Amino acid sequence: MEHQDTRSAAALRFQVLGPVQAWRGDVPLALGSPQQQAVLVALLLNEGRPVTTDDLVDGIWGDRTPPQAVAALRTYVSRLRSVLEPNRTARKPSEVLVSMTDGYALRIPADALDLVVFERHVADASGARADGGLRPAHDTLMAALDLWRGRPLAGVPGPYADAQRNRLAERQLAVAEERCALALEIGLHADVVAELNSLSAAYPLRERLRELLMLALYRSGRQAESLGVYADTRKLLIDELGVEPGGGLSTMHGRILAGDPELLAHAAAPPKAVEEPAAFVPPAQLPADVSDFSGRSKMVSELRDVLRAGSGQAVVVTSLAGIGGVGKTTLAVHVAHSLRPDFPDGQLYVDLRGAGASPADPAVVLGDFLHALGAPDAPDSLEQRAALYRSLLADKRMLILLDNARDAGQLRPLIPGVSGNAVMVTSRSRLAELPGAHLVDIEELTPDEALALFSAIVGAERVGAEPEAALQVVTSCGFLPLAVRIAAARLASRPRWSVSDLARRLADQRNRLQELQLGNLAVETTLGLGYAQLRPEEARAFRLLALVDSPDLPLSAVTALLGTSEQEAEDLAEALVEANMLECFTPGRYRYHDLLRLYAQRQNAKLADREAQRDALLRVLDLLASTMRNAARVIEPDDLQAEHLYHGPSAGLPLADSTTARAWVRTEMSLVLSGIEAVAHDPRTLLRPAIDLVLVLRTLDEDPTLVPRVRAALVTTAATARELGDVEVLVRVDFAVGCLHRHVGDLASAETSLRRSLDRQARVEPTQLNASAANELAVVLILAGRPAEALPFYQQALETSRRIGAPIGEARLLANMARAHVGLGRHTEAEESARAAVAAARASGNVPCLADTLYQLGVVLRSTGSPGEAAVHLREAHQLYRQQQHPIWEGYSLARLAACLLADGQFPAAAEAAEESLSIAQEIEAAYCQSMANAALGEALLELGQPSRGLACLQEALTVFTRLGVPEAQPVQDLIASRHTEPSPPPVPPAAP
């Protein structure tokens, strides 16, 4: 780890020993998406060493690298820099997240990472122990272990994080083991029994833990239990590995048997055994194991280890919880069968019918169990039956499988009272109130496990012929075992179907649940059992939360959809989580399993409660639109456009500053788009807030991955608006589509849409939207090299802004008009207009407006022959854009700055500015900006004596400029021709509007 202690890095702290977190001082930092956190983790754990781009891509995505992985990686790095160094200026290189040759490195003080502090404590403890300080060594290890905050790197995806998670978990275990050993050396044997019991259950093959547990029990006066640990461990090692215990464990066993005084033994008398009824026949009530059980090997191993650890003081109770169809019973029965040799006194089984309308009565169940245990008559009362049940099991080692439990009250009478027995429970609820239970959440299968199950039923040859279609099938099944089993059985019973045929049938979400049924097996029926258990208010919440098809929902959206107080909404959501009808992997955020969402949506369709559903959607759109407007006010203060958007009753979420606002926009972008998509076919009361969300959205985030979804939402919204004859919505749709096309460099389509928006507005009173559309069209015409056509639209926008009282818009338009004057050769008018714009912006105090006008003044001065002064204004503009976290305009200002530096003969500085511009433009896939940066970089490299690389950059710029049909293509082509022996092909002329 780099020991650099710069001001930008010194205040930073990072946590990887648990969920990944970071702070500046005491202020937590928003680290972005899980993939972005994966980048940070890779850099943190390499401790200042450079990590190549290829290694980062492999570490995040592994074998499933997306096409735009490098561009996405650059986006993550750029956003991490903005989080870690929010005040870095344009000219100052990063001091924390440093670009290296084809990669990056993180430069932070050594003690800024909790893992480094942890290892330092461990090293200090080793030194203290070597000096004879056992108590200081023990306390130092305790301090080291106190740094852990849960599962290391929790929630971080990718193969690199997986490997490091395993490494860190092993390191934690080793240190915990050493701490327990020290505790025994200083006489704390009673204090560590519980911890060693827990660790031994979690890691049953780790002999050193078992040896320490034996010693701790022996010194605590529990000799029989200590010897029992050895017997259980020996049997486990023989069964699992075919080996006898190692020397340490065997020696400890021998010393305890011999009463070695050095162990400070205090032998305890073994408990008196209860005489077993002579006629007892061990019951074997387990249902048949499935022959095609596949996957879940790690969970099977974990459950077997926990259930075998029945030699402690308490009964081992394991509770398996999960949604219907996730395979709880199948897994439990499979594990129970595998443990039959470990429970020689038999296995009891009952279906408690907890998901049905008539759950089993515990008294009746106990009567059946007592009969199976050889009791001739069962007492009358529940309490007497439970007492007799516990007595009969007191000297036995038996496994009890309580399947499909409703709640803890149904279970309590069925739990044995002494050790040696193990209970496995399955339930749709988590049963967290069950004392001492080992809780296991059963999740859906992994893709590989689901494919293995599918292949086991359908046949490997049939699946191997269509592997992609098979993956589509199990994905459509949500990797739910019941759904995969039904889909596979349907295909196996239809030899003329191909796997692709089944995949196509399941692709239609509207009919997917109907497809997933065969005979008396149906996913919908199984999910319906869980739905039927919900209270009316929970069932309503379950339905309403599915109206917005977002990957997850924040508590604020849950509250809006339900129309309750935030506390009531959270209580309802948590009740659904407890019932496994909703998931919560991050506090305050909730999501459905895919098939549960489809089930909830089908319930909405069946009830057809359109008014309640429309009200819920309107509430969440109101929340999103109001919060988006709050974001726009913070990010673009005094811009009147947001004030003309939809206003509902919600005040929206408070957003303190632009950093918070942009973080909210990025985090909730998928929710915003899902909200827009949810109402695209609904009446105009919902269309208006939906399209206004898009209008603000286009100005606040440039994530290229959103473009297809935004475009699709706009197309659907436009079609619905045309059916309704809603001109007001169509005006907004055309404007948003035009802005979208301009962002991706499709100038011809942008012009068509913007002209259509203006035409639709011609017969209504001018608004800020009219001024914005006219300005946007003028920008498109300037980019296309048609300044004479652009000037009238700038003038129209200026007149409208003055008419409606929008001084900020007026300042921006004066700056834009200066560009048109330059294009027409009117240099004096251009400079006067641009300087007037900057003066007006400075007087207003509006930082975004000042940045825009400074940028335009810089472009004008460069064009009129003053590159030195232009560079000054462009640097200031770039610094302001960086402070606002506005990457597209950071890129443009750097590209323009590079051109000024070229004209002033500052070739190294020009190359540096162009490189940074190119990096930003590639991150956000801004084609025009990439070409500007490549053009400047290519020219700078030619001047710096790097002709091969320079020409390559110029050629790339020419290719894109030509595709876009912009006038910048010609000078680039001329420069290439002047350095080439062979002429380059002429650029394609601009496309007609």
Side-chain angles (χ1 to χ4, degrees):
M1 186 71 66
E2 191 76 21
H3 285 267
Q4 180 178 342
D5 194 13
T6 64
R7 286 188 299 173
S8 60
L12 293 171
R13 294 184 294 115
F14 298 89
Q15 171 183 292
V16 293
L17 304 181
V20 178
Q21 292 181 271
W23 299 265
R24 180 177 292 103
D26 294 326
V27 179
L29 302 181
L31 298 179
S33 67
Q35 288 78 14
Q36 187 167 305
Q37 293 181 35
V39 175
L40 178 62
V41 163
L43 296 172
L44 283 168
L45 296 186
N46 273 277
E47 301 187 5
R49 296 183 297 274
V51 186
T52 67
T53 299
D54 287 345
D55 286 345
L56 288 170
V57 168
D58 290 343
I60 299 170
W61 290 286
D63 296 334
R64 299 186 178 182
T65 304
Q68 300 296 326
V70 174
L73 174 63
R74 289 172 176 153
T75 300
Y76 298 146
V77 170
S78 177
R79 290 179 175 175
L80 283 171
R81 281 176 172 154
S82 298
V83 171
L84 301 179
E85 301 175 276
N87 298 319
R88 183 168 66 91
T89 60
R91 299 289 296 163
K92 186 178 180 182
S94 173
E95 296 176 333
V96 178
L97 211 171
V98 181
S99 294
M100 313 292 286
T101 303
D102 189 31
Y104 306 93
L106 196 64
R107 302 290 174 80
I108 59 173
D111 58 357
L113 180 62
D114 59 350
L115 174 59
V116 173
V117 177
F118 169 79
E119 293 294 358
R120 186 178 298 166
H121 281 326
V122 174
D124 291 344
S126 178
R129 180 165 192 167
D131 294 337
L134 297 183
R135 170 64 77 169
H138 171 270
D139 293 348
T140 304
L141 288 183
M142 285 286 288
L145 292 167
D146 285 344
L147 293 172
W148 290 73
R149 295 293 182 266
R151 187 171 179 239
L153 312 180
V156 179
Y160 179 81
D162 289 342
Q164 293 299 315
R165 202 166 10 249
N166 293 334
R167 178 182 72 84
L168 292 173
E170 173 62 28
R171 185 68 177 131
Q172 180 190 23
L173 176 60
V175 174
E177 186 178 81
E178 180 61 23
R179 202 282 300 179
C180 290
L182 276 170
L184 289 172
E185 289 192 57
I186 58 178
L188 300 178
H189 40 270
D191 296 343
V192 294
V193 168
E195 182 177 356
L196 284 169
N197 258 321
S198 176
L199 289 172
S200 297
Y203 302 94
L205 298 179
R206 200 169 179 104
E207 293 187 42
R208 174 64 171 154
L209 286 173
R210 297 296 185 108
E211 179 185 342
L212 294 173
L213 176 58
M214 289 177 67
L215 180 58
L217 288 168
Y218 189 63
R219 287 182 175 175
S220 301
R222 297 157 67 179
Q223 177 179 340
E225 293 177 50
S226 178
L227 294 172
V229 169
Y230 177 80
D232 288 345
T233 305
R234 181 174 181 273
K235 187 175 188 308
L236 176 67
L237 291 171
I238 293 172
D239 290 347
E240 293 289 328
L241 304 177
V243 298
E244 290 283 347
L249 201 61
S250 298
T251 300
M252 180 62 66
H253 180 242
R255 293 177 70 188
I256 292 173
L257 287 175
D260 187 342
E262 292 185 8
L263 294 179
L264 302 176
H266 300 282
K272 184 178 180 180
V274 177
E275 185 177 350
E276 182 179 302
F280 177 72
V281 177
Q285 298 183 342
L286 294 176
D289 196 2
V290 293
S291 60
D292 53 13
F293 185 90
S294 58
R296 304 208 189 273
S297 56
K298 185 176 180 180
M299 187 166 288
V300 168
S301 178
E302 174 191 344
L303 290 171
R304 291 174 65 185
D305 292 343
V306 170
L307 291 164
R308 280 171 172 157
S311 60
Q313 287 187 315
V315 178
V316 176
V317 180
T318 299
S319 175
L320 284 63
I323 68 172
V326 80
K328 302 180 294 294
T329 298
T330 302
L331 173 63
V333 169
H334 179 74
V335 170
H337 273 285
S338 72
L339 289 172
R340 289 184 66 177
D342 297 274
F343 294 92
D345 294 316
Q347 307 86 38
L348 296 173
Y349 170 85
V350 63
D351 179 0
L352 294 172
R353 306 193 304 275
S358 302
D361 184 343
V364 175
V365 173
L366 282 171
D368 293 339
F369 279 179
L370 290 172
H371 178 72
L373 292 170
D377 297 300
D380 293 333
S381 72
L382 171 65
E383 292 76 12
Q384 289 174 326
R385 291 185 177 192
L388 179 58
Y389 170 69
R390 291 192 295 269
S391 298
L392 292 176
L393 293 179
D395 62 343
K396 292 182 172 58
R397 186 162 176 79
M398 186 170 286
L399 178 63
I400 300 100
L401 177 48
L402 306 176
D403 192 20
N404 196 11
R406 186 177 188 87
D407 53 34
Q410 187 188 33
L411 290 169
R412 287 190 183 97
L414 308 178
I415 306 297
V418 296
S419 63
N421 298 290
V423 178
M424 192 159 31
V425 177
T426 74
S427 175
R428 295 188 180 222
S429 300
R430 284 182 169 78
L431 303 178
E433 69 272 31
L434 203 60
H438 178 74
L439 303 180
V440 180
D441 283 327
I442 309 299
E443 299 178 359
E444 60 270 21
L445 301 171
T446 66
D448 288 342
E449 289 173 339
L451 283 171
L453 175 58
F454 188 70
S455 298
I457 300 171
V458 172
E461 183 176 350
R462 201 170 174 188
V463 172
E466 297 179 272
E468 292 184 4
L471 181 58
Q472 291 171 13
V473 168
V474 297
T475 302
S476 294
C477 293
F479 308 111
L480 196 69
L482 176 63
V484 173
R485 188 175 292 280
I486 291 173
R490 287 195 70 193
L491 186 60
S493 67
R494 291 162 173 80
R496 294 187 180 181
W497 280 16
S498 67
V499 182
S500 297
D501 290 332
L502 179 60
R504 280 191 294 272
R505 297 176 74 94
L506 293 175
D508 184 357
Q509 291 192 12
R510 294 169 299 179
N511 298 316
R512 186 175 298 167
L513 290 177
Q514 293 97 303
E515 293 289 338
L516 291 173
Q517 55 183 338
L518 182 68
N520 62 353
L521 282 179
V523 169
E524 187 167 11
T525 302
T526 299
L527 298 181
L529 291 173
Y531 177 68
Q533 289 186 19
L534 301 177
R535 294 177 293 142
E537 61 272 25
E538 294 169 352
R540 172 182 176 272
F542 174 72
R543 295 191 303 270
L544 290 182
L545 296 184
L547 290 173
V548 178
D549 200 1
S550 178
D552 65 351
L553 293 169
L555 180 57
S556 58
V558 171
T559 303
L561 283 165
L562 300 185
T564 64
S565 70
E566 183 175 291
Q567 185 60 56
E568 290 172 318
E570 185 175 19
D571 290 344
L572 285 168
E574 289 297 327
L576 292 174
V577 171
E578 184 62 28
N580 269 300
M581 300 297 281
L582 208 61
E583 297 173 336
C584 180
F585 293 110
T586 302
R589 300 193 76 88
Y590 301 91
R591 75 179 192 186
Y592 288 95
H593 182 275
D594 291 345
L595 295 181
L596 273 172
R597 181 188 287 109
L598 291 180
Y599 181 85
Q601 291 168 349
R602 280 178 61 80
Q603 301 315 302
N604 283 325
K606 288 178 181 178
L607 287 174
D609 190 357
R610 302 295 181 219
E611 184 175 351
Q613 294 168 15
R614 189 179 300 115
D615 289 346
L617 285 170
L618 188 57
R619 286 193 300 268
V620 78
L621 281 177
D622 182 22
L623 168 74
L624 296 173
S626 300
T627 307
M628 191 71 86
R629 190 169 59 248
N630 293 344
R633 285 171 175 161
V634 174
I635 296 169
E636 297 280 353
D638 302 322
D639 185 347
L640 294 184
Q641 180 170 300
E643 301 308 315
H644 291 272
L645 301 178
Y646 169 84
H647 279 68
S650 172
L653 300 176
L655 303 170
D657 50 43
S658 62
T659 300
T660 305
R662 289 192 186 279
W664 182 87
V665 171
R666 287 170 182 156
T667 301
E668 306 303 349
M669 189 60 63
S670 184
L671 172 62
V672 171
L673 289 172
S674 297
I676 295 168
E677 291 162 349
V679 304
H681 298 284
D682 273 279
R684 98 180 41 180
T685 54
L686 296 180
L687 278 179
R688 175 60 191 279
I691 188 58
D692 281 1
L693 268 174
V694 177
L695 293 183
V696 185
L697 177 67
R698 71 172 187 91
T699 66
L700 299 185
D701 199 277
E702 299 89 12
D703 189 339
T705 62
L706 300 177
V707 170
R709 285 189 70 186
V710 174
R711 183 186 289 118
L714 289 172
V715 169
T716 307
T717 305
T720 306
R722 279 193 292 271
E723 291 175 9
L724 296 169
D726 194 328
V727 176
E728 189 175 10
V729 170
L730 285 171
V731 164
R732 286 167 155 71
V733 170
D734 288 331
F735 173 63
V737 169
C739 295
L740 185 69
H741 284 309
R742 200 262 291 177
H743 173 67
V744 298
D746 187 352
L747 300 183
S749 298
E751 181 180 350
T752 300
S753 295
L754 292 166
R755 286 185 183 275
R756 191 163 52 227
S757 178
L758 285 170
D759 289 344
R760 295 186 195 278
Q761 298 179 65
R763 293 177 294 278
V764 298
E765 189 70 18
T767 63
Q768 178 64 42
L769 184 63
N770 182 276
S772 297
N775 174 66
E776 191 75 20
L777 177 56
V779 171
V780 169
L781 293 170
I782 287 290
L783 291 173
R786 297 150 61 191
E789 296 177 57
L791 199 56
F793 289 104
Y794 278 138
Q795 192 62 45
Q796 175 185 338
L798 182 61
E799 290 172 1
T800 302
S801 292
R802 287 172 173 167
R803 185 172 173 180
I804 64 176
I808 303 305
E810 184 176 339
R812 284 194 170 100
L813 284 164
L814 285 171
N816 288 347
M817 289 175 70
R819 297 280 298 278
H821 286 307
V822 169
L824 294 171
R826 303 170 184 172
H827 292 178
T828 302
E829 293 95 324
E831 288 196 25
E832 288 176 353
S833 184
R835 293 186 190 279
V838 171
R842 286 196 191 278
S844 73
N846 184 295
V847 174
C849 182
L850 178 59
D852 292 343
T853 55
L854 284 166
Y855 173 85
Q856 300 290 22
L857 177 57
V859 175
V860 167
L861 290 172
R862 165 70 180 88
S863 301
T864 58
S866 302
E869 184 184 356
V872 173
H873 296 303
L874 287 167
R875 282 196 176 98
E876 185 179 358
H878 175 252
Q879 184 173 352
L880 295 175
Y881 285 134
R882 184 174 187 81
Q883 289 173 3
Q884 299 167 58
Q885 299 183 38
H886 214 327
I888 182 63
W889 288 103
E890 282 187 63
Y892 279 131
S893 58
L894 285 166
R896 297 291 186 183
L897 175 60
C900 291
L901 296 170
L902 281 171
D904 217 24
Q906 301 182 48
F907 304 125
E912 182 181 350
E915 286 269 23
E916 188 171 353
S917 172
L918 182 60
S919 175
I920 292 171
Q922 287 172 333
E923 288 168 2
I924 59 175
E925 298 183 21
Y928 184 71
C929 185
Q930 285 185 52
S931 302
M932 290 174 58
N934 266 320
L937 179 58
E939 186 174 351
L941 292 172
L942 291 179
E943 297 293 343
L944 292 170
Q946 300 182 46
S948 297
R949 188 178 169 211
L951 287 170
C953 291
L954 291 170
Q955 188 60 56
E956 190 169 343
L958 176 61
T959 300
V960 179
F961 279 149
T962 300
R963 176 174 59 80
L964 297 178
V966 295
E968 284 89 342
Q970 191 60 54
V972 175
Q973 184 188 9
D974 293 341
L975 184 56
I976 292 173
S978 70
R979 298 297 182 108
H980 253 310
T981 56
E982 298 181 4
S984 298
V988 177

